[in-house]
Amino acid sequence: MRNIRIMTGAASLIAIGLVSACSSSSGSEESSSDASGEYEVYALLPQGTDQPYGTTYLPAMEEEAAKNGINLTITNSQYDADRQASDCRVAVAARPDLIILWPAVGDTVRPCLAAAQAADIPVTVTNSDVNPGDKDLTAGYSGPDTYGQGAASAEIMCELAEGNPTNILMVNGLTGNSTAINRRDGFVETIEAECPNVEILAEQPGNWNKDDSQTVTSEMLTSVGAENVDGIFAADDTMVAGAIDALRAQGIDPQPLLITSIGNTELGNPLVKSGDLDGTIFQSSSWDGQNAVLVASQVLAGETVEEDLFMPSVKVTQENADDPEVAPEW
Amino acid sequence: MTTSQTMSLGEATTGFSARLRAALGRRTEWRAIILLVLVVVGALIFAPTVFTAYQVTLGFVALIGLIALGLTAVILMGELDLSVASTLAVSGVVMAMVPNIFLGVTLALLTGLVIGAVNAFFVVKVGINSFIATLGMLFALRGLAFVLSDAEPVPLTDIEAGISFGMPLIGPITPRIVLFVLVFIALHVFVTRVRAGREFYAVGGNRQAAYDAGIPVSRRLFTGFMISGFVAALAGVINTLELIAADPTAGSTALLASFAAAIIGGVALTGGRGSIVGTLLGALSLGILGVGLTLAGVQVDIQQIFIGSVLFIAVITDPASLRAAAGSVVTFLQSRKSQTAV
Amino acid sequence: MNRSTSEPAGPVVIEAESIVKRFGGAVAVNDVSISVRAGEIYGLVGENGAGKSTLMRILAGILRPDEGEVRVEGKALHGGAKAALEAGIALVHQELSLVPEMTGAENIMLGSFPTTAGFIRSADMKKIAADAIEEIGVQIDLDEPIVRLSVALRQFVEIARAVARKPKVLILDEPTATLTPAETDHLLAMLQRLAAKGLSIVYISHRIPEIFSICDRVAVLRDGNLIEMMDIGETTPDDLVDKMVGRDLKLDLQIHRESNPGDVVFSARGIHAPGVDGIDLDVRAGEIVGLGGLVGAGRTEFVRAALGVDPKTAGTVTVTTDGRSTKIATYRAAVRNGVAYIPEERRTDGLALNMSVADNIALPNRARLSTGSVLKPKMIAEFATNLADSVGLRPPDIRRDAGEYSGGNQQKVVIAKWLGREPRVIVLDEPTRGVDVGAKTEIHRLIRDLADRGAAVLVVSSDLPELLDLSDVVHVIRDGRIAGTLSGAEADEKSVMTLAAGGRLVEAS
Amino acid sequence: MTETATPRETPTRQAPSETGPSQRRAALLQWIAERGIFVFTALLIVFAAIFVDGFASTVNITDVFHRAAPIGIVAVGMTFVVISGNYLDLSVVAQVATSAVIFIGVSNLYGIPLAVGLAVLVALLYGAVNGVAVGYFKANAVIVTLATTYVGLGLLRWLSGGSIFFGPPDGPIRAMGQIRIGPLPLSMIVLIVMALVLAFVLNRTTFGFMVRCVGSNKEATRLAGVSTPRVVLGAFVITALAAMIAGFVLAAFSNTAVSTMSSGFEFRALAAIIIGGTSVFGGRGSILRTLLGVVFVSVLTNILVLSNISFGWQQIAIGALIAAAVSVDALARRAAQ
């Protein structure tokens, strides 16, 4: 008797939870269908409101979708490739008009693209591109060139180094993360090709965190000897802010050092203005989110799209740091 | 009564409801069934696509359920294996590093077996609590995956094999689903029909009795951890084939989801209680819930709140937990009584 | 009722020769030889601690004898429990060794599932299990998990497991402790049937009537020695009890304490709980009340339910101190009102073995050893040292872990920690079990001192001399009820044993 | 059941008559298990000071402190849960991040006092939910705190939108993060103060005493008249409050807060506790041990980074270290029997 009472109790509890959440979810469905969506589109993202970039990317994306009469369903695989593959299968099964894909791990998306093609669902890619070999399965790409950003940051570094022997430290993103890998590769390969006079003395992951970056930078300074270090490259502005703090904490003036990064965020832009950060690459999350939908709607309308719509990898230095077109967004 | 003595030793199982209760009480899966019914009803109302696209749902269930099945073998013996997610990553990397696909699969599965044996060694021979031993492995294997792969995804050499692996075999059934069903059947048969597997319950339920009855407890523990390692490696192989690349960070969401599936399925962490069917039901409910919420466009954050709440309710509605809490309430009420009654 | 002793004796199946077993310094079994013939039921009686269980564990290969050997059908037994099992010796343990979530059939066949290529032949398994159940004549749903069966049924499953192995020798250690009279009768009849088929049975019991009802021969063990072995026809219940308890009476020579009990301090009314079937009991200030009875009679269960340690289904307990009566509903309320409980299982329930003696003593006294919930280490050390001295802890090093001490000293620590609270009611469950003679005497002194200082003392003991020696009043518990009450003067070992065993035979005599 | 199946009078203390090689080995293992962490930490520091360039510099010591502080504050708090015999509190991940985000996010809008007040409330809520489920419902701590981690992180991201929060560059929080006394950053001082306070609570208060007793023998503690569920609840509340302070420290150090900043804290804190020699079975252990465990892991990681060893190898080293630490403990325990 007691068992049954307990079971009903538990059941009703779960039921209440389920109903309330389902109603909230159906609520969001209604609100999006209020925009009288003509097109159903799935956006398979590896991040959402769990990451700062996604937090500013999403509103721009949703706003643009509403403007274009696109009904968006957004998933977040938290950078788990298996989870994204599963999201992809869900999306293909839902038979949307188009899928927007932000690959969690670039090497792993081919089966997803193949499945979409088999189901006649066009796929556009956003934020980080698929492998060259998989391009024929996609209808277009918009976003930053993560490799190119690393390369551009390296170009700034090369210019600053002016051919002098320069020793730098490198702070990478989260180990194994595809953006982290691409930016690092772009930076390292460009340095090797264009200015071999720049030597990377040490590298450690800063995990996209300011505090982790500050600690490892400080440790790397100790490791190689602070006096031997002429510059720092960090894979994003948050981490470069940590690296600059580490320099200051050791009583080293960051001004004469060659420091570059990627982002031009609200954290990085003031550092550029103050001259601590010599150069960064502007990445507009809102551009990224907005153009993901723009490319998608062009494809849906049957217009021809460029194969790659690269976010301008604007190099931001002290001269143009105040320009409105590079106003930091996050 | 076959004997002259009339011995009414049995429980009073007269009347339909009493017998029904007895039959229900025998099962350990009722919480999973309730949840499954609720989830199915909810999905029918709010996201019927879950069922029209059943192959997707099945695929998702297979994704979170496969590791949970292997884990159940270990939990039935009252032990834990936290290293499964890292095992998945390492075996995937091992597989992708080998150019020959068959050799790669073999090596990857072997890796899983070896990891299971190492876990069992620490637990059985050294005598470390399995929670801690596998925690160490969780770190070490993740590190190993990074070291082997140079912290980058390792693309499969034979991409075509991978692509064809991900394609449906019969109707909408992909090899992943087939393998999942096979593992389910194999493990279910193993713990219900095979002597060694059935004895897992004895090892988890009353280890001393198992020793006394002459059951080779150490060998059973080795078997259990190796099953868990093998199944995790199989999941790694499937993922790598389907994704045509091995990701050293893989499995980040697998560990917790697997635990949740087993716990919701009524598998007791203290050992000796639960079933493979229960884990399947747990995986089914979580899978349908996950796909349903995704199809309904619910953000991951809210999905997590959901899954966490379900897990929380599942763990505190365990009969033993409810008894303990009821006992506390009774004690509290009575302690008030004993103070007032002077 | 007696089996005829003139039955043709079969060949000797199992024999133990000159078995000696020591634990540390103590000799548990001292040069004991027994032999059991085919088709014979061999009774083994003795008080608690006489060495019966140790001897049985040696026969079953679980323990290795220090001297002597066990032979089965003339062949010496080597190689532990497994070898003994293969040689045909099956032991039904006192402790249930069942797997709760496995079915009856599986438990009966545990460790010897019939298999083909590793697969269980479940029809065969059920068949063998059903046969075993049939053999012992009970009806059990073999598909039910054990956890859903009653305690009595579990005991029968345990016996069925032994029977299913088709043993030559079946050893039962107190199998009736948890059974009702009807169930006991059934079990005894079943054993006789098995013996008639040629099985040798070694039957250990405290209950004299059972011995007389089924055994062919009976051996008496006392303090590890084999006192006598006789045909059942050669003895009487009286004689047997005499032989069991007949010890040198040195311990008994201690004079009874002068007691002049005051008002009732501890009063239990209508206590019902699993295994307890309505017990009323009063303990007065300065009085020592003893609870006697057989193992499983419900003494421990009563004490735990009355104090609120385990839940009770009905009944009230009142503690009266300084003219103020308080109904005790929970264990913590009991402790608050001056009750001290010294549990049966010292190592698991009584002490934190890997904490120091000082910490163990401080635990129930933490309130008085702290100011504003900050502990005062100096005060604790002083307090613990004093108490350790007063209970005679040796060596008196309060910083050592409790687990490093011997059983007797551990028990002194348990008593010391409660002494600090100056309890008004103190309940001791088997206070000197596993304790050496010296410590035992000291513990008895402590218990008497407590009573002399006006505490109400309730002692549960299976050690008859101890019970009689300490108690002003003895209640004998049988089947969850008070079977009889004896005043200190009229209680002797025989009267207590008689009430506890409760057999018709003895009552008739 | 009365008849002693176990030896009647087993003196657990072994006669020190013979000291054979096996006994000496047992004694050595025992000694290592008891004092190992002190020796290993000392050896590691001496080794590093001699062989690793730059290790002994003031700057580097500060870095070690920075590494140690937030994880150490979580670990000294979580020691209470571990000693009480409940394995660990996985939800510290969610707790630290929530506290950090509240600390920066709410103080930007409403000022620091309100932020701190809110953080305290949230911490108490975490402690209460975990503690009631584990203490009163006797539910398994791993599963309970796994569930609260899911819910907690989900709520945090849902409510905060996952943004990165930073305080004004010249604000009080940043100033806090930069205070230092000699080579000691404020975070390290907080850790030391926390360790002292919690060591006092664990060793010198009746509550701490009961936590140790519950972990050592729950039933004996209950029979001494202690409400064991309440003690477990208290242990989870202390852990939650420590995690809250760790969140403050983490936020103040970088003047930023984001919901991902504490990922991996749960297992890293547990690893430090275990390496320190606190038993996961409860009862045995101390705050000082946890502190040493934290120092050991931080110094080791620092050495590996100084030697430019990659992240993968760092993980392998920590995993191997856990295995080694608990193996010694397990072998010593076995040898003692």
Side-chain angles (χ1 to χ4, degrees):
Chain A
M1 212 34 213
R2 175 188 279 181
N3 247 1
I4 287 176
R5 221 177 304 144
I6 289 164
M7 281 159 65
T8 23
S12 48
L13 261 178
I14 298 175
I16 291 166
L18 205 66
V19 166
S20 58
C22 284
S23 56
S24 76
S25 66
S26 66
S28 72
E29 242 178 357
E30 278 160 29
S31 66
S32 46
S33 61
D34 279 351
S36 67
E38 298 163 41
Y39 296 113
E40 288 292 329
V41 168
Y42 264 73
L44 311 180
L45 314 181
Q47 55 166 266
T49 52
D50 50 344
Q51 304 275 343
Y53 189 83
T55 304
T56 43
Y57 176 99
L58 282 178
M61 183 178 216
E62 280 164 349
E63 194 186 325
E64 192 62 29
K67 258 193 250 165
N68 288 282
I70 287 174
N71 192 6
L72 268 184
T73 305
I74 297 166
T75 70
N76 172 0
S77 64
Q78 298 176 293
Y79 282 100
D80 184 334
D82 308 328
R83 180 73 203 238
Q84 186 166 62
S86 169
D87 287 344
C88 177
R89 256 173 259 130
V90 171
V92 171
R95 304 261 154 204
D97 300 299
L98 183 136
I99 291 174
I100 299 173
L101 176 69
W102 172 350
V105 178
D107 291 308
T108 66
V109 296
R110 190 175 171 91
C112 173
L113 299 176
Q117 196 186 43
D120 267 335
I121 303 167
V123 179
T124 62
V125 182
T126 173
N127 186 280
S128 53
D129 205 355
V130 298
N131 289 343
D134 300 335
K135 292 286 283 186
D136 52 329
L137 294 172
T138 63
Y141 170 75
S142 68
D145 172 6
T146 45
Y147 183 92
Q149 290 174 330
S153 199
E155 282 161 14
I156 302 179
M157 185 66 83
C158 286
E159 276 173 41
L160 293 168
E162 294 171 336
N164 299 322
T166 307
N167 296 325
I168 63 164
L169 302 176
M170 183 155 76
V171 184
N172 297 318
L174 192 66
T175 308
N177 172 277
S178 53
T179 305
I181 294 169
N182 286 339
R183 285 185 181 171
R184 178 187 177 279
D185 288 351
F187 185 84
V188 172
E189 285 164 21
T190 307
I191 290 286
E192 279 169 5
E194 293 184 16
C195 50
N197 53 316
V198 174
E199 193 192 345
I200 299 164
L201 293 180
E203 60 177 310
Q204 285 289 334
N207 304 330
W208 306 129
N209 269 341
K210 192 180 168 207
D211 49 335
D212 285 347
S213 164
Q214 181 166 345
T215 308
V216 290
T217 305
S218 186
E219 286 171 332
M220 284 191 288
L221 284 169
T222 308
S223 160
V224 302
E227 66 282 1
N228 301 323
V229 175
D230 308 310
I232 293 174
F233 164 71
D236 82 353
D237 277 3
T238 311
M239 294 197 295
V240 95
I244 289 169
D245 277 358
L247 290 171
R248 286 224 183 83
Q250 292 209 11
I252 301 167
D253 183 4
Q255 295 278 358
L257 267 65
L258 317 181
I259 301 174
T260 67
S261 75
I262 297 163
N264 191 38
T265 66
E266 284 171 3
L267 205 55
N269 185 263
L271 292 171
V272 178
K273 287 183 194 162
S274 71
D276 294 337
L277 178 57
D278 296 294
T280 185
I281 309 301
F282 181 49
Q283 173 168 8
S284 165
S285 49
S286 65
W287 185 99
D288 201 4
Q290 184 185 10
N291 281 281
V293 174
L294 272 178
V295 170
S297 63
Q298 283 168 355
V299 171
L300 285 167
E303 296 166 27
T304 48
V305 292
E306 291 174 67
E307 191 176 307
D308 290 315
L309 176 57
F310 282 127
M311 175 193 300
S313 285
V314 182
K315 292 174 186 165
V316 181
T317 57
Q318 210 159 8
E319 291 98 72
N320 65 345
D322 285 319
D323 290 0
E325 60 268 25
V326 296
E329 294 176 352
W330 58 282
Chain B
M1 287 287 137
T2 49
T3 51
S4 51
Q5 276 93 347
T6 0
M7 293 192 56
S8 56
L9 289 170
E11 260 82 32
T13 45
T14 46
F16 174 75
S17 72
R19 246 178 301 147
L20 182 69
R21 234 182 303 149
L24 278 180
R26 235 183 256 177
R27 304 306 318 175
T28 51
E29 300 95 358
W30 54 269
R31 275 173 299 156
I33 292 172
I34 292 172
L35 180 66
L36 186 59
V37 168
L38 288 172
V39 166
V40 166
V41 170
L44 276 174
I45 299 170
F46 298 108
T49 334
V50 170
F51 302 104
T52 49
Y54 61 93
Q55 76 278 20
V56 172
T57 312
L58 279 180
F60 189 67
V61 169
L63 176 69
I64 61 172
L66 186 57
I67 294 179
L69 292 178
L71 208 52
T72 306
V74 174
I75 302 178
L76 280 181
M77 287 190 288
E79 305 287 346
L80 277 178
D81 187 355
L82 295 179
S83 69
V84 281
S86 305
T87 307
L88 179 149
V90 169
S91 56
V93 169
V94 166
M95 179 190 159
M97 285 169 65
V98 179
N100 180 306
I101 198 150
F102 293 102
L103 189 63
V105 171
T106 315
L107 277 179
L109 296 179
L110 215 62
T111 307
L113 287 175
V114 168
I115 291 169
V118 171
N119 280 330
F121 172 81
F122 277 116
V123 174
V124 175
K125 300 290 175 195
V126 185
I128 303 176
N129 174 281
S130 58
F131 183 71
I132 302 308
T134 54
L135 173 69
M137 291 294 270
L138 171 85
F139 281 103
L141 293 175
R142 178 69 67 199
L144 188 63
F146 281 138
V147 168
L148 289 178
S149 68
D150 207 12
E152 288 187 20
V154 186
L156 211 55
T157 320
D158 188 352
I159 287 181
E160 286 317 308
I163 300 271
S164 55
F165 182 87
M167 289 294 142
L169 276 179
I170 321 135
I173 308 297
T174 58
R176 177 195 286 275
I177 299 172
V178 174
L179 283 170
F180 173 69
V181 171
L182 285 180
V183 169
F184 164 72
I185 293 171
L187 279 179
H188 179 68
V189 168
F190 183 67
V191 304
T192 53
R193 301 259 175 268
V194 175
R195 173 180 180 163
R198 199 58 198 155
E199 286 174 352
F200 281 14
Y201 284 87
V203 174
N206 187 343
R207 195 162 289 184
Q208 189 57 48
Y211 276 117
D212 290 348
I215 293 172
V217 173
S218 304
R219 206 185 307 158
R220 297 290 172 263
L221 285 167
F222 265 91
T223 312
F225 278 103
M226 285 168 78
I227 287 177
S228 168
F230 179 83
V231 173
L234 182 65
V237 166
I238 295 175
N239 286 344
T240 307
L241 278 172
E242 279 200 354
L243 299 173
I244 64 165
D247 177 12
T249 65
S252 52
T253 56
L255 173 66
L256 303 185
S258 309
F259 265 104
I263 299 302
I264 289 170
V267 182
L269 281 178
T270 44
R273 190 161 194 274
S275 67
I276 299 290
V277 176
T279 302
L280 177 72
L281 290 171
L284 270 176
S285 348
L286 283 182
I288 295 174
L289 187 64
V291 174
L293 291 173
T294 304
L295 281 170
V298 177
Q299 310 171 31
V300 157
D301 313 334
I302 297 174
Q303 291 190 24
Q304 282 193 331
I305 297 173
F306 246 82
I307 291 169
S309 310
V310 166
L311 189 57
F312 191 81
I313 291 169
V315 68
I316 64 166
T317 53
D318 185 272
S321 289
L322 288 177
R323 265 198 303 277
S328 296
V329 172
V330 168
T331 306
F332 175 73
L333 294 177
Q334 285 184 338
S335 68
R336 301 188 65 104
K337 208 166 71 188
S338 55
Q339 269 158 356
T340 48
V342 171
Chain C
M1 217 63 170
N2 288 359
R3 281 164 60 97
S4 154
T5 49
S6 60
E7 256 176 65
V12 169
V13 177
I14 184 168
E15 58 190 320
E17 197 183 301
S18 310
I19 301 290
V20 178
K21 181 71 193 175
R22 299 182 201 88
F23 291 117
V27 181
V29 175
N30 186 17
D31 192 19
V32 172
S33 303
I34 61 167
S35 65
V36 186
R37 296 187 286 253
E40 181 183 38
I41 302 183
Y42 191 99
L44 197 60
V45 296
E47 283 193 301
N48 298 302
K52 301 178 306 246
S53 289
T54 307
L55 181 59
M56 290 309 101
R57 290 163 76 85
I58 290 169
L59 289 184
I62 296 169
L63 291 177
R64 243 173 242 282
D66 295 327
E67 289 167 35
E69 70 173 6
V70 177
R71 284 191 294 272
V72 182
E73 293 179 329
K75 280 197 287 286
L77 186 66
H78 294 292
K82 211 171 168 206
L85 209 60
E86 279 159 12
I89 303 169
L91 172 66
V92 177
H93 289 270
Q94 268 180 344
E95 297 92 4
L96 292 176
S97 61
L98 301 172
V99 182
E101 295 288 331
M102 291 180 111
T103 67
E106 286 170 333
N107 268 290
I108 289 170
M109 300 300 294
L110 194 67
S112 52
F113 293 156
T115 54
T116 312
F119 284 84
I120 300 168
R121 297 197 304 273
S122 75
D124 284 1
M125 181 168 80
K126 270 190 205 160
K127 176 90 177 48
I128 303 173
D131 287 351
I133 290 290
E134 171 96 40
E135 183 114 41
I136 62 171
V138 271
Q139 284 213 319
I140 296 174
D141 182 350
L142 287 173
D143 294 329
E144 278 283 311
I146 287 296
V147 71
R148 301 178 56 80
L149 298 181
S150 71
V151 176
L153 278 183
R154 292 181 202 180
Q155 180 69 61
F156 278 101
V157 169
E158 189 101 15
I159 295 168
R161 178 194 287 174
V163 170
R165 309 235 148 114
K166 304 269 179 245
K168 298 189 183 104
V169 185
L170 178 62
I171 304 170
L172 297 106
D173 194 354
E174 295 279 359
T176 55
T178 54
L179 302 184
T180 64
E183 291 160 352
T184 303
D185 288 345
H186 180 89
L187 177 74
L188 299 181
M190 181 262 296
L191 292 178
Q192 284 179 307
R193 274 203 314 278
L194 292 174
K197 289 185 196 166
L199 185 66
S200 303
I201 295 171
V202 181
Y203 187 81
I204 301 174
S205 181
H206 281 103
R207 306 192 188 191
I208 307 302
E210 293 175 5
I211 298 292
F212 278 87
S213 113
I214 63 165
C215 293
D216 299 299
R217 287 193 292 169
V218 60
V220 182
L221 277 184
R222 193 169 72 218
D223 299 332
N225 295 297
L226 181 67
I227 299 301
E228 195 154 356
M229 201 272 297
M230 47 211 160
D231 281 349
I232 202 79
E234 294 170 3
T235 182
T236 63
D238 272 348
D239 180 43
L240 206 55
V241 170
D242 279 343
K243 292 203 166 87
M244 279 166 63
V245 298
R247 64 187 72 228
D248 51 343
L249 295 172
K250 256 186 263 160
L251 271 174
D252 294 23
L253 282 177
Q254 293 183 356
I255 342 125
H256 256 287
R257 198 173 52 90
E258 279 301 313
S259 73
N260 38 6
D263 297 332
V264 171
V265 177
F266 178 85
S267 169
R269 286 289 168 274
I271 304 298
H272 283 80
V276 183
D277 189 19
I279 290 179
D280 296 348
L281 183 149
D282 287 335
V283 188
R284 296 166 182 278
E287 183 184 41
I288 303 178
V289 173
L291 286 185
L294 299 178
V295 172
R299 295 169 303 172
T300 299
E301 290 79 357
F302 160 70
V303 165
R304 289 177 71 92
L307 298 183
V309 177
D310 290 338
K312 57 177 178 281
T313 46
T316 53
V317 172
T318 317
V319 170
T320 312
T321 50
D322 308 325
R324 215 170 120 261
S325 291
T326 314
K327 261 194 191 155
I328 301 299
T330 67
Y331 179 68
R332 288 181 59 219
V335 172
R336 261 201 311 277
N337 285 284
V339 175
Y341 169 55
I342 291 160
E344 189 181 9
E345 301 292 339
R346 177 169 59 236
R347 296 178 71 87
T348 58
D349 298 354
L351 288 173
L353 292 176
N354 58 11
M355 295 185 86
S356 70
V357 168
D359 282 346
N360 272 289
I361 290 178
L363 180 56
N365 302 294
R366 60 194 180 279
R368 67 149 67 177
L369 297 174
S370 53
T371 36
S373 81
V374 174
L375 295 170
K376 299 202 228 158
K378 258 192 206 147
M379 197 167 159
I380 291 176
E382 207 174 297
F383 184 81
T385 308
N386 285 340
L387 283 169
D389 281 348
S390 74
V391 297
L393 181 72
R394 266 179 303 273
D397 182 356
I398 56 159
R399 269 174 306 201
R400 274 202 204 184
D401 281 359
E404 294 180 14
Y405 279 94
S406 68
N409 280 302
Q410 286 181 1
Q411 188 70 321
K412 288 181 198 164
V413 175
V414 181
I415 293 175
K417 74 182 200 181
W418 288 108
L419 282 184
R421 288 182 69 97
E422 286 158 14
R424 315 305 288 263
V425 177
I426 180 156
V427 180
L428 305 101
D429 196 349
E430 303 287 0
T432 61
R433 186 209 283 176
V435 160
D436 60 75
V437 179
K440 195 166 174 175
T441 315
E442 280 175 290
I443 290 168
H444 287 174
R445 174 183 61 81
L446 290 168
I447 294 173
R448 287 201 188 86
D449 282 355
L450 273 165
D452 288 342
R453 275 184 275 151
V457 182
L458 183 61
V459 179
V460 175
S461 179
S462 299
D463 183 336
L464 275 179
E466 168 178 284
L467 190 71
L468 297 169
D469 189 32
L470 285 173
S471 309
D472 301 319
V473 180
V474 176
H475 298 289
V476 181
I477 310 279
R478 189 174 78 229
D479 297 335
R481 287 188 209 154
I482 294 183
T485 299
L486 303 162
S487 74
E490 62 187 5
D492 60 21
E493 301 198 1
K494 243 167 102 177
S495 56
V496 173
M497 206 61 158
T498 307
L499 280 169
R504 282 130 296 201
L505 257 180
V506 179
E507 273 163 0
S509 70
Chain D
M1 218 169 311
T2 350
E3 194 146 0
T4 43
T6 44
R8 303 200 68 199
E9 185 73 359
T10 345
T12 27
R13 203 124 181 100
Q14 274 162 358
S17 53
E18 287 168 285
T19 40
S22 69
Q23 260 169 318
R24 240 175 295 149
R25 191 173 137 261
L28 180 68
L29 276 169
Q30 187 79 41
W31 192 85
I32 292 175
E34 290 289 325
R35 322 240 179 280
I37 184 62
F38 298 87
V39 180
F40 292 149
T41 310
L43 283 179
L44 189 71
I45 290 174
V46 170
F47 166 85
I50 297 172
F51 295 104
V52 181
D53 285 341
F55 176 81
S57 64
T58 326
V59 171
N60 190 56
I61 302 286
T62 316
D63 287 339
V64 174
F65 289 157
H66 276 147
R67 270 194 188 285
I71 208 79
I73 294 168
V74 173
V76 291
M78 202 157 92
T79 305
F80 278 76
V81 167
V82 178
I83 288 188
S84 78
N86 285 299
Y87 293 121
L88 84 168
D89 182 351
L90 287 171
S91 66
V92 289
V93 179
Q95 296 174 22
V96 171
T98 308
S99 153
V101 167
I102 290 176
F103 191 49
I104 298 220
V106 175
S107 27
N108 281 349
L109 294 174
Y110 305 105
I112 290 180
L114 198 74
V116 170
L118 189 60
V120 170
L121 269 181
V122 171
L124 291 177
L125 187 67
Y126 266 111
V129 171
N130 288 333
V132 166
V134 176
Y136 289 88
F137 281 82
K138 307 257 184 297
N140 183 292
V142 180
I143 303 300
V144 166
T145 56
L146 173 61
T148 47
T149 307
Y150 268 121
V151 176
L153 276 183
L155 280 173
L156 174 64
R157 284 165 189 170
W158 185 40
L159 296 175
S160 77
S163 307
I164 185 164
F165 294 87
F166 28 79
D170 46 1
I173 291 176
R174 177 161 182 82
M176 257 182 252
Q178 295 196 320
I179 296 174
R180 69 187 52 215
I181 297 168
L184 289 181
L186 182 65
S187 59
M188 197 60 199
I189 292 165
V190 173
L191 171 59
I192 290 167
V193 170
M194 285 287 290
L196 287 175
V197 168
L198 291 184
F200 180 81
V201 171
L202 187 63
N203 296 327
R204 294 291 301 275
T205 66
T206 51
F207 167 72
F209 179 48
M210 285 188 287
V211 169
R212 287 183 282 135
C213 289
V214 166
S216 180
N217 187 335
K218 201 168 177 181
E219 185 61 11
T221 310
R222 179 175 85 100
L223 291 180
V226 173
S227 166
T228 55
R230 202 181 297 165
V231 174
V232 171
L233 173 63
F236 275 97
V237 168
I238 290 214
T239 303
L241 289 174
M244 174 193 80
I245 291 171
F248 293 168
V249 165
L250 204 55
F253 174 54
S254 59
N255 201 21
T256 57
V258 61
S259 64
T260 52
M261 70 194 311
S262 58
S263 67
F265 264 44
E266 74 284 47
F267 287 137
R268 281 165 65 196
L270 181 66
I273 292 171
I274 291 167
I275 290 170
T278 292
S279 166
V280 279
F281 301 105
R284 292 187 311 132
S286 70
I287 299 292
L288 176 64
R289 282 180 174 282
T290 297
L291 210 53
L292 282 169
V294 169
V295 169
F296 188 89
V297 175
S298 305
V299 168
L300 184 77
T301 315
N302 176 261
I303 294 172
L304 294 174
V305 173
L306 287 185
S307 317
N308 212 16
I309 303 283
S310 79
F311 181 71
W313 286 108
Q314 294 173 25
Q315 297 269 293
I316 293 178
I318 289 174
L321 210 65
I322 295 175
V326 289
S327 293
V328 167
D329 187 48
L331 291 174
R333 207 180 298 197
R334 187 175 290 188
Q337 277 168 9

